[in-house]
Amino acid sequence: MADTPNTYDTPAKRIGLIGRFAGPDELVEAAEKATDAGYTKVEAYSPFPVVGIDEALNNGKTILPYIVLVMGLSGLVGGLGMQVYMNGVEGPWWLSGYEFLISGKPNLSIPAFIPVTFETIILLSAFGAFFGMLMLNGLPRLSNPLFRSERFAAATDDGFFLLIEAEDPKYAETETDAFLASIGATETDAIEEPTTGHAVPGFLYLVGAALAAVATVPPLYIAATTGMKTGVPRISFFKDMENQSKVKTQTIFSLFEDGRGMRVAVPGTVARGALKEDLKYHYGYEPGDEFVGGPRRVEAMLASYSVRSVSDGDVADGDEDEAAAPAAEPTPKEENWVSEFPLEVTEELMNRGEQRFNIHCAVCHGLDGGGQGLVTRRALGLEQGTWVQPTSVYTESVVEQPVGRLFNSISHGVRKMPGYKEHISVEDRWAIVLYLRALQRSQLASADDLPKDKLIELSNLN
């Protein structure tokens, strides 16, 4: 007969009868006999998994896979729908989506939505597996009546138990106790639990209500501030995503002594593919013995004293102060400027030079190069006295200049004319020089420059 000690001061509820068996084989055999006898609410407990116990208890297949499937499909629909709405639907209503073009992708781009959709499927499936398991096992429970049995403590060591619940339709106290003994139970216990004392303490309701009230603050704040402009910095919970240790332009960077994060190139270095070995082509100048150190030294010296060197003919009357101050080093020798074009002279190069001249030069020098461009005429009309009229390309001092010096003037500037080497490529600068030579010859041509047939035609006119 089962021991049924009632140690509770309040009425107790009978949970069922539990019997202990000698080993796993005896437990499986007892479970088969119990289910064959018509008992349906039977459960087995052992220190380790027992092979065949599920079949003996007639346990049906769990519905947990279906729960996971439904949750995964929910993640698919929810994740995909969220992205479609947020990225592809925009309207005047509150919490509307935002059609934002990213990397040229269409707003409704299913391939671009796959990564997030995959993650939501995995996330909700994991939630379904975890919480579904807890639900199907009736967990969590603050207590289990089985733990009130001192004999049941052996279930984690060497005890094998079979429980027939009191809710089973065939359950009867005396008959069930005798049945357990008949199928090999060495000991039986009646499992009970008190029927009172299960109410939730009143103060927990107050705590829950307070937490619920606090939880409404964030969504209400978001709803109230949506669409508003403010000068207050936004709330950030992960500061490292905003305040990273990195170089920002025009800010002090403590890693270097001078505090500059944007570093200049190391003196003497040349970028790959940027070595200017052809000095005639890149500088219009063929250095003599006074230059030591190769192309890099040539560039440095040209930048230091030949960029602003001007002849007397280049300075307008009363404008001597505008000329560049004498350089610290001697002016390059006149004979070192190249006199021949360092690239092939073609009709295409001439046409290119005309186009570049009309874009960059004609606005001040005029389309004919005479120094009467639109900007010049406007400035002279204002009579402010600060404008320096560009020198005509037909003056003797300019006509006599070698092509290399003209190229240098375009590159580095003269008087108030800025240098154009940063704006016009090397080849285009030579094209402009070629077009200047064409303009000069067109206006300063002599009879010797005309072909014989043209000379004969002019003679006949006279």
Side-chain angles (χ1 to χ4, degrees):
M1 182 66 182
D3 296 333
T4 57
N6 188 346
T7 59
Y8 308 116
D9 296 333
T10 59
K13 176 184 177 182
R14 181 59 58 91
I15 302 299
L17 290 174
I18 188 169
R20 181 173 182 175
F21 294 85
D25 295 334
E26 290 80 1
L27 180 64
V28 172
E29 183 180 358
E32 290 177 346
K33 292 179 179 180
T35 54
D36 291 343
Y39 289 99
T40 57
K41 293 184 178 297
V42 183
E43 187 61 78
Y45 302 92
S46 67
F48 50 82
V50 176
V51 177
I53 194 65
D54 288 333
E55 293 78 5
L57 293 172
N58 289 335
N59 286 337
K61 291 185 177 181
T62 177
I63 64 171
L64 186 60
Y66 300 101
I67 296 176
V68 175
L69 175 62
V70 172
M71 294 298 291
L73 293 176
S74 301
L76 169 65
V77 175
L80 192 60
M82 173 185 68
Q83 295 173 91
V84 169
Y85 176 77
M86 290 182 175
N87 295 342
V89 179
E90 185 173 358
W93 56 86
W94 183 64
L95 291 182
S96 165
Y98 186 42
E99 294 181 350
F100 186 67
L101 184 63
I102 300 175
S103 302
K105 300 182 182 73
N107 291 327
L108 296 178
S109 176
I110 300 301
F113 297 160
I114 292 301
V116 173
T117 303
F118 173 77
E119 295 298 335
T120 55
I121 292 174
I122 297 301
L123 178 65
L124 292 189
S125 297
F127 283 166
F130 179 73
F131 293 107
M133 178 274 298
L134 295 180
M135 178 189 68
L136 294 176
N137 286 305
L139 299 175
R141 298 179 64 179
L142 298 180
S143 65
N144 192 325
L146 289 172
F147 296 154
R148 301 180 183 276
S149 171
E150 295 182 0
R151 293 191 180 96
F152 186 75
T156 61
D157 185 10
D158 59 355
F160 299 86
F161 296 89
L162 188 70
L163 171 68
I164 299 178
E165 298 181 13
E167 295 180 357
D168 193 298
K170 194 177 179 181
Y171 179 86
E173 186 75 24
T174 304
E175 290 79 0
T176 302
D177 183 44
F179 175 76
L180 286 173
S182 68
I183 59 177
T186 59
E187 301 171 334
T188 59
D189 271 345
I191 306 300
E192 298 178 340
E193 70 172 340
T195 57
T196 59
H198 297 281
V200 177
F203 76 93
L204 291 181
Y205 287 106
L206 296 177
V207 173
L211 292 177
V214 172
T216 60
V217 174
L220 291 176
Y221 175 78
I222 294 173
T225 57
T226 299
M228 295 176 55
K229 295 182 178 180
T230 177
V232 179
R234 63 188 180 91
I235 300 175
S236 177
F237 297 100
F238 302 99
K239 300 295 183 181
D240 56 331
M241 298 299 292
E242 297 178 357
N243 302 319
Q244 302 178 23
S245 178
K246 60 184 178 182
V247 179
K248 295 184 179 180
T249 57
Q250 309 301 331
T251 58
I252 297 177
F253 191 59
S254 59
L255 179 62
F256 299 105
E257 186 176 349
D258 59 3
R260 295 176 59 184
M262 303 173 64
R263 310 307 298 168
V264 297
V266 177
T269 59
V270 179
R272 185 183 298 274
L275 180 61
K276 301 176 181 178
E277 297 180 282
D278 190 348
L279 305 182
K280 296 180 181 180
Y281 177 73
H282 289 284
Y283 301 102
Y285 184 79
E286 186 172 6
D289 297 337
E290 70 275 18
F291 288 95
V292 180
R296 301 171 195 166
R297 177 61 177 162
V298 171
E299 183 175 8
M301 295 188 70
L302 286 176
S304 66
Y305 60 81
S306 70
V307 296
R308 288 295 182 181
S309 61
V310 295
S311 64
D312 295 339
D314 289 331
V315 184
D317 295 340
D319 194 40
E320 290 80 0
D321 293 338
E322 296 294 338
E329 305 213 18
T331 303
K333 297 178 181 179
E334 192 68 25
E335 60 267 21
N336 284 350
W337 295 113
V338 296
S339 58
E340 300 293 336
F341 286 92
L343 70 170
E344 183 182 0
V345 176
T346 62
E347 184 178 355
E348 290 77 16
L349 187 65
M350 177 72 73
N351 294 334
R352 179 70 176 179
E354 180 182 8
Q355 181 196 50
R356 299 291 98 181
F357 179 89
N358 291 340
I359 292 174
H360 296 283
C361 312
V363 66
C364 293
H365 288 272
L367 291 173
D368 61 350
Q372 294 293 326
L374 293 176
V375 172
T376 300
R377 284 184 281 174
R378 171 62 175 168
L380 294 176
L382 293 176
E383 297 182 352
Q384 294 179 341
T386 58
W387 179 254
V388 179
Q389 184 172 358
T391 303
S392 172
V393 299
Y394 309 115
T395 59
E396 183 178 358
S397 60
V398 177
V399 173
E400 293 177 353
Q401 287 185 16
V403 293
R405 183 161 185 178
L406 293 175
F407 174 86
N408 181 75
S409 298
I410 296 174
S411 301
H412 301 288
V414 176
R415 295 188 295 175
K416 286 190 173 181
M417 185 186 92
Y420 282 84
K421 67 177 182 178
E422 305 297 338
H423 307 283
I424 308 176
S425 66
V426 175
E427 184 176 356
D428 285 349
R429 277 177 265 158
W430 281 116
I432 292 175
V433 174
L434 179 61
Y435 181 67
L436 285 178
R437 284 295 191 232
L439 285 177
Q440 292 170 346
R441 189 164 185 180
S442 68
Q443 299 296 320
L444 304 175
S446 62
D448 297 335
D449 295 324
L450 296 176
K452 291 183 179 180
D453 56 338
K454 296 297 181 182
L455 287 173
I456 295 173
E457 184 179 345
L458 288 175
S459 300
N460 293 335
L461 292 175
N462 293 333

